[in-house]
Amino acid sequence: MILMHDIVRDGDPVLRKVAKPLTFPLSDEDKKFAEEMMEYLVNSQDPKIAEKHQLRAGVGLAAPQVGRSIQMAALLVPNNEGEIIFKEVFVNPKILSESVRQACIAEGEGCLSVDEDIEGYVPRPDKLKIHYYTVDGEEKTIRLKDYPAIVASHEIDHLNGHLFYDRINKENPFSMDEDTIVIS
């Protein structure tokens, strides 16, 4: 079981590396790792389990955040009512296209690897077309928009050595394009 002490923190060089692609079929170790990353997200969103194990809630977890520089990320995205609207483990994801229109989360973004609160809007594409493989090697291309697209963008950034605060405007953290969608 992945716990908070297993999460790599900001400053660790693994978070700034471009992760290596995986080859198929995945090893049993990689498949188990994918299950453990998803299990962390499920447990972190369950108030009783999260409190018992002192887990910070997460909607996404990329392999580099657990110290492995490989192209894998788990996403477990709920809506405002807590119902899961997107659940997947991406292997070797690539963004094929993205909307010009940007979106951001009203309260800003957080990250399991960043302990401090960093204020500011984090502009990301509102819509993404993503190509990836499942853990079983099935090839998929999907379209995401709004909150799921933001989460996917955040996790794919991790696989490319970027952190959310890299996207915040340094001079004016709360500036955004006029047509940016603000998701609350």
Side-chain angles (χ1 to χ4, degrees):
M1 181 176 182
I2 295 172
L3 299 170
M4 283 307 298
H5 66 78
D6 299 311
I7 306 288
V8 172
R9 297 309 204 278
D10 192 7
D12 190 304
V14 73
L15 294 173
R16 292 300 187 169
K17 285 183 186 167
V18 175
K20 292 178 177 48
L22 289 161
T23 54
F24 287 92
L26 292 185
S27 68
D28 289 343
E29 177 190 349
D30 286 337
K31 287 182 178 182
K32 183 172 179 0
F33 183 61
E35 283 176 28
E36 289 173 347
M37 288 198 309
M38 185 61 75
E39 179 189 43
Y40 176 90
L41 298 176
V42 169
N43 289 342
S44 78
Q45 291 182 28
D46 180 309
K48 286 186 177 140
I49 296 172
E51 185 179 349
K52 177 182 177 187
H53 295 288
Q54 299 295 295
L55 305 178
R56 279 176 50 199
V59 293
L61 183 62
Q65 292 181 272
V66 197
R68 294 195 60 200
S69 190
I70 57 173
Q71 292 271 329
M72 183 187 290
L75 292 85
L76 186 66
V77 184
N79 63 16
N80 287 339
E81 288 75 49
E83 301 159 338
I84 300 304
I85 55 173
F86 186 73
K87 179 181 183 179
E88 186 64 276
V89 174
F90 288 164
V91 179
N92 301 341
K94 297 277 177 271
I95 295 174
L96 300 178
S97 63
E98 54 187 52
S99 63
V100 173
R101 175 178 263 173
Q102 301 283 291
C104 65
I105 300 172
E107 65 271 8
E109 289 184 24
C111 179
L112 295 170
S113 292
V114 179
D115 291 326
E116 62 188 289
D117 285 333
I118 299 176
E119 293 189 347
Y121 292 131
V122 183
R124 297 184 181 277
D126 181 49
K127 295 178 183 170
L128 294 175
K129 182 177 178 184
I130 301 169
H131 175 270
Y132 68 97
Y133 295 88
T134 67
V135 172
D136 295 323
E138 181 184 350
E139 195 169 353
K140 289 190 170 187
T141 299
I142 59 167
R143 294 176 191 276
L144 296 174
K145 67 179 197 168
D146 300 333
Y147 188 48
I150 288 173
V151 175
S153 174
H154 180 114
E155 298 314 319
I156 292 170
D157 270 1
H158 275 301
L159 303 180
N160 292 305
H162 305 294
L163 294 169
F164 75 93
Y165 59 76
D166 298 339
R167 291 180 176 260
I168 297 173
N169 182 317
K170 305 296 177 257
E171 283 79 50
N172 188 353
F174 290 99
S175 68
M176 67 174 113
D177 291 344
E178 210 171 273
D179 65 343
T180 300
I181 297 167
V182 180
I183 297 169
S184 48

